Amino acid sequence: AANGTVQGLAIEGTGIIPLEMDPENVQKMLGMGMGGNGGFSYASGSSNIQVNADGEQFQMNSTSQGGGLQFGMSAANLVYSLVQKGTAVNVVSNQVPFPIALNMAEVGMNFKFPVTKSDEEQDFAMGFNLSDFTMSDMLWSIFDAGGVLPRDPATIKVDLTGKGKVL
């Protein structure tokens, strides 16, 4: 069983489709101007998933205080950006001997990749952000049984940029 709610959902987008389409030749269609961008945002959300099958029991619930997804595609590149704020995830499973609780002030990813074949180097980017991440002490004890590491909220940010060739 699965259910969820989303509050304050907004969707937007634009696109260009060439008059002559050849789905087997995406490069040609991109060269003819095919592309688009858009996304969605939401103010808050929650989900609840319960599985009970063949003795396996799993339950997960999550809440968030909003976020969104943006995307774009053109002859130059493919772009994705995802962010979720105020996220809490709780998991209980008979495969794990304790409940799992994770909290994040913000989690996000972004990707930008060239899509057109070229002998010239093109820009690319990848990023990941996990801000003010915390987890339950039971889960912490797997990684740090002696309690040596502080249990303060952790932030991990990776932002990679570079140039590459699409062959």
Side-chain angles (χ1 to χ4, degrees):
N3 62 55
T5 62
V6 176
Q7 302 293 323
L9 180 63
I11 301 172
E12 63 168 318
T14 62
I16 299 171
I17 300 173
L19 290 174
E20 295 181 30
M21 290 191 51
D22 182 1
E24 293 184 21
N25 190 342
V26 175
Q27 293 291 324
K28 180 180 177 185
M29 291 189 338
L30 288 169
M32 295 173 68
M34 182 182 84
N37 61 61
F40 70 87
S41 62
Y42 66 100
S44 65
S46 65
S47 66
N48 187 18
I49 299 170
Q50 294 182 2
V51 176
N52 187 355
D54 299 326
E56 301 291 324
Q57 294 180 348
F58 173 86
Q59 180 177 344
M60 181 186 87
N61 62 55
S62 67
T63 60
S64 73
Q65 296 172 357
L69 169 73
Q70 298 294 315
F71 62 88
M73 183 174 186
S74 69
N77 54 45
L78 177 64
V79 179
Y80 284 99
S81 176
L82 170 72
V83 67
Q84 189 167 317
K85 298 180 180 195
T87 303
V89 178
N90 295 289
V91 177
V92 177
S93 170
N94 65 350
Q95 297 295 311
V96 180
F98 51 84
I100 297 171
L102 309 171
N103 292 284
M104 296 147 272
E106 183 174 295
V107 61
M109 301 183 275
N110 67 286
F111 302 98
K112 176 182 177 184
F113 295 109
V115 293
T116 304
K117 182 178 178 179
S118 174
D119 291 331
E120 301 296 319
E121 291 183 338
Q122 302 176 65
D123 293 333
F124 75 87
M126 294 182 287
F128 176 77
N129 174 32
L130 183 62
S131 297
D132 293 337
F133 172 74
T134 61
M135 60 184 156
S136 63
D137 284 333
M138 292 180 121
L139 190 56
W140 254 115
S141 66
I142 293 173
F143 305 104
D144 182 28
V148 175
L149 298 173
R151 303 300 200 250
D152 300 338
T155 296
I156 301 169
K157 291 185 179 186
V158 177
D159 189 13
L160 303 172
T161 60
K163 294 195 175 279
K165 293 182 184 179
V166 177
L167 304 174

